[in-house]
Amino acid sequence: MTAPSTNQENHVTTGATVWLTGLPSAGKTTIAHELAARLREQGRPTEVLDGDEIREFLSAGLGFSREDRHTNVQRIGFVAELLARNGVLALVPVIAPYADSREAVRARHEANGTPYVEVHVATPVEVCSVRDVKGLYAKQAAGELSGLTGVDDPYEEPEKPDLRIESQHQTVQESAAAVHAVLSERGLA
């Protein structure tokens, strides 16, 4: 049997969950996909658990009440932790507007000894409404939509995230590099 190569010896095998929380159109998903590409180039198993896709497939039928939002976040957190404890970097760009829901996900990770990194994409609502990637802010302003997080529904900002990004002041690449730096510091990238 031959000895493993240096590349194999240095290969990071620990998974982790990186939860990117923030308002709609803050840049969470864009940053997650940029980071995922960088991590995959390094040979890291990485999955992006996009909130919209999860709502369509895993949380179909849930609405946007506080209880349904909590259930949605817990389902995503369960899947992320499952992936992470099996060596995958799970990138989770999901609004998760309530602090107690996010804290429950963090607690699940801690209970299982699974690394968890919370990133607050702290883009102001004024910038998000200009970006308006999905047209949600326009629909809310026209009276066609209610319950928009950060406008007429609450968003509880993380008090002590592992990283706070103000995406309006840097490029997507710089934002992804900042998250990558935190992962590298913790031996996760």
Side-chain angles (χ1 to χ4, degrees):
M1 183 177 219
T2 60
S5 72
T6 304
N7 286 345
Q8 288 174 327
E9 289 174 8
N10 293 331
H11 185 71
V12 179
T13 58
T14 302
T17 293
V18 179
W19 199 287
L20 296 100
T21 179
L23 297 175
S25 297
K28 302 176 299 297
T29 302
T30 305
I31 294 167
H33 283 291
E34 179 70 25
L35 177 60
R38 183 174 183 167
L39 291 165
R40 288 177 182 132
E41 284 175 10
Q42 294 178 285
R44 293 289 282 126
T46 305
E47 287 295 332
V48 176
L49 299 178
D50 181 80
D52 292 335
E53 291 175 356
I54 296 293
R55 275 220 173 251
E56 182 179 352
F57 297 107
L58 186 62
S59 294
L62 289 179
F64 291 90
S65 68
R66 184 179 180 106
E67 296 77 20
D68 282 358
R69 288 176 191 247
H70 179 77
T71 298
N72 185 50
V73 168
Q74 296 317 297
R75 288 178 182 176
I76 297 168
F78 173 80
V79 173
E81 197 277 328
L82 181 66
L83 288 168
R85 81 173 116 111
N86 283 285
V88 175
L89 279 171
L91 309 182
V92 186
V94 174
I95 296 169
Y98 300 110
D100 61 340
S101 294
R102 294 189 306 266
E103 190 50 42
V105 171
R106 180 187 293 272
R108 170 187 289 286
H109 281 71
E110 288 173 357
N112 289 314
T114 307
Y116 180 87
V117 177
E118 183 178 66
V119 178
H120 179 207
V121 183
T123 311
V125 69
E126 300 80 19
V127 174
C128 294
S129 66
V130 170
R131 291 179 180 170
D132 204 9
V133 177
K134 300 173 194 164
L136 299 175
Y137 293 94
K139 287 179 182 175
Q140 193 277 334
E144 299 170 15
L145 174 73
S146 63
L148 181 59
T149 303
V151 178
D152 60 352
D153 211 48
Y155 177 75
E156 299 169 356
E157 291 190 6
E159 291 182 17
K160 295 179 184 176
D162 298 290
L163 176 64
R164 190 176 313 277
I165 293 174
E166 295 183 2
S167 70
Q168 73 277 16
H169 297 306
Q170 58 192 35
T171 66
V172 172
Q173 293 76 18
E174 290 168 336
S175 295
V179 180
H180 190 273
V182 170
L183 293 174
S184 295
E185 289 168 10
R186 295 180 183 194
L188 301 169

